[in-house]
Amino acid sequence: MIRKEKAKARIGLYSIGLKAYWTQFPGLRETLLAYGRYIEDRLGETCQVCNFGLVDQPAAGKAAGEWFSQRQVDLILVHSATYCTSASILPVHQICGAPAVILNLQPVAAMDYPHTNTGEWLACCGACPAPELVNALNRCGIRPGVISGLLGMEEALSGQEERPEAARAWEEIQNYLDAAMVKRALLGAKIGFLGGNYAGMLDLYSDATLLQKGFRVHIEPIEMCDLAACLREVTEGETAEKLEEIRRFFAAVGGSPADPIAGEPAPVLLRQSAAAACALDRLTGGFGLDALAYYYHGAGGGDYESLAAQLIVGSSLLTAAGIPCAGEGDLKTAVAMKICDLLGTGGSFTEIVAADYNRGTILLGHDGPFHMAIAAEKPFLRGMKLYHGKRGEGISVEAKVKPGPVTLLGVTQTAAGGLRCIISEGEAVEGQTLMIGNTQTQVKFDLPIDEYYNKWFAQSPTHHCAMSVGRNAGRFQRTAELLGIEWARI
């Protein structure tokens, strides 16, 4: 399948100043606008930029707010270029409700004190208005973020290596840009809910309206008969093509020496899994889905039960194609997986399995979909005579996440009726895992195992989460903030 093209964030940008300065200090206005164009050009490498220019009096602030509203920006970056009264910028954010971040980016590392005049000093004093702006906005119910550091323009123009103060600031800016992209991509994204939840998993039971409110997604209930109808349309030629795709993606594996229920994938089950994968392709295409949560228990030997047992392979292929699939009907984790995938970091269906106290690691994985883009090696297929706690037989995916930094993203519903994102960074390490047809990875966290357990459990998590590769806590945090969702970091 061809991956869906990601949406580009729409970023509002303006620089601030005091109108009285322009006649007093010729050239200052032009200097500040040049700094703003540098920021615009750098932002434009990854997003769509709407640069209003200068806001230097309340009337300009009103005009900027209306301008940004018309363009439906996802985020407004306030370039604190020099001093500006807070009365000038307040109208921008009262009119346009997009989240705001103040950029306190000094253009030089230090002024040449004996040779710097007042106009040149004013071009360096972006920190001066920052506390006033934050104070005024907060008192008006608007809570901006603040990023401080160096602009980096001087080094860029001279070909010098970027200073750490600039690199850190731009990394923080990029976190916001990535979060704004996710926010735009989630707007109206269709999350399919096929079948129902695994019965009795109360933490998985989701308030679909709450998810639509918090993440701006659309939840689309889908019946098993919809999938069965898609299966009836699958041709022998499509099934044969899908079998070839499966053989390219996966490595078949023989029986497990420790577990008699895990064995060689039977040819008939491979063919059924291929046909089911084709049906999933038709289903997601027909409904225009961006992600899927699925589960069907069955009543013993029915056609739907047989079909549901063959979905792991196809859902893993869909996940790799940018349509994350979460098992057991876990809508909240489907959204978490979608966020990870939008950021290009994977997003594999995961739960805590057990601890290895000898190694100081925690085993994480599941018996369901896996994101092949983050695999340590070609994932295995195992034939399963049964799925533990579930009906039917079929083929499961066995894989590990590649060694290196990983970040977990969990989404849970709170007792107060809100949403919470739970974020945690760790390190995937080499180590043995079980040969039982599950996706499993040994992960080491900074905290001792039991302390980590207790801190994670204290957040009242859904017992599933999404595992991504890389250190993504900053981006996940900013995404939650832009969406107005509570977050916690372990």
Side-chain angles (χ1 to χ4, degrees), residues 211-232:
L211 290 174
Q212 295 201 176
K213 174 188 174 185
F215 290 103
R216 282 71 164 172
V217 296
H218 169 78
I219 306 299
E220 183 74 22
I222 303 172
E223 301 293 343
M224 281 297 293
C225 56
D226 293 315
L227 180 61
C230 292
L231 181 64
R232 289 193 292 271

Side-chain angles (χ1 to χ4, degrees), residues 42-348:
R42 194 152 173 179
L43 297 175
E45 295 172 6
T46 57
C47 59
Q48 180 183 343
V49 187
C50 303
N51 187 359
F52 179 81
L54 272 170
V55 169
D56 55 4
Q57 58 178 322
K62 180 176 181 295
E66 293 170 349
W67 194 78
F68 289 136
S69 292
Q70 290 167 359
R71 284 154 182 78
Q72 297 183 337
V73 298
D74 304 302
L75 175 70
I76 298 177
L77 298 180
V78 185
H79 171 215
S80 187
T82 188
Y83 179 75
C84 176
T85 61
S86 49
S88 297
I89 74 139
L90 179 60
V92 179
H93 305 283
Q94 288 181 315
I95 295 169
C96 181
V101 179
I102 296 170
L103 304 183
N104 170 33
L105 302 177
Q106 192 166 295
V108 294
M111 289 178 283
D112 182 0
Y113 300 107
H115 305 100
T116 298
N117 61 38
T118 303
E120 293 166 338
W121 160 65
L122 286 171
C124 293
C125 71
C128 179
E132 177 182 341
L133 305 184
V134 173
N135 176 284
L137 291 174
N138 268 274
R139 288 167 66 188
C140 294
I142 301 162
R143 306 192 185 284
V146 180
I147 296 175
S148 296
L150 284 174
L151 179 62
M153 179 176 173
E154 188 177 60
E155 292 80 10
L157 293 177
S158 62
Q160 299 175 38
E161 184 178 353
E162 190 170 60
R163 288 179 60 110
E165 299 89 347
R168 186 196 65 249
W170 279 100
E171 181 181 354
E172 292 181 29
I173 291 170
Q174 190 60 52
N175 285 343
Y176 274 108
L177 301 184
D178 291 340
M181 178 274 293
V182 171
K183 178 185 174 185
R184 175 161 288 272
L186 288 179
L187 182 62
K190 292 181 75 173
I191 313 294
F193 184 43
L194 172 63
N197 291 117
Y198 189 107
M201 289 184 177
L202 303 183
D203 60 321
L204 301 193
Y205 293 2
S206 298
D207 181 337
T209 303
L210 179 63
L211 290 174
Q212 295 201 176
K213 174 188 174 185
F215 290 103
R216 282 71 164 172
V217 296
H218 169 78
I219 306 299
E220 183 74 22
I222 303 172
E223 301 293 343
M224 281 297 293
C225 56
D226 293 315
L227 180 61
C230 292
L231 181 64
R232 289 193 292 271
E233 297 176 0
V234 174
T235 67
E236 287 296 320
E238 289 171 335
T239 301
E241 286 181 13
K242 186 62 72 172
L243 270 171
E244 288 304 309
E245 183 182 352
I246 289 170
R247 291 188 178 106
R248 289 194 303 270
F249 264 87
F250 299 100
V253 67
S256 168
D259 195 338
I261 71 169
E264 183 79 29
V268 64
L269 292 179
L270 270 173
R271 192 163 192 81
Q272 288 175 4
S273 289
C278 292
L280 278 173
D281 290 349
R282 285 180 179 272
L283 184 83
T284 54
F287 279 93
L289 299 183
D290 296 282
L292 176 69
Y294 70 91
Y295 181 71
Y296 183 79
H297 185 66
D303 291 341
Y304 290 174
E305 176 191 299
S306 176
L307 175 55
Q310 311 307 322
L311 296 182
I312 290 176
V313 174
S315 59
S316 291
L317 292 172
L318 278 174
T319 299
I323 303 175
C325 299
E328 298 175 357
D330 191 347
L331 276 168
K332 295 188 287 292
T333 299
V335 175
M337 293 167 69
K338 184 63 183 179
I339 292 171
C340 296
D341 185 80
L342 286 168
L343 292 170
T345 64
S348 203

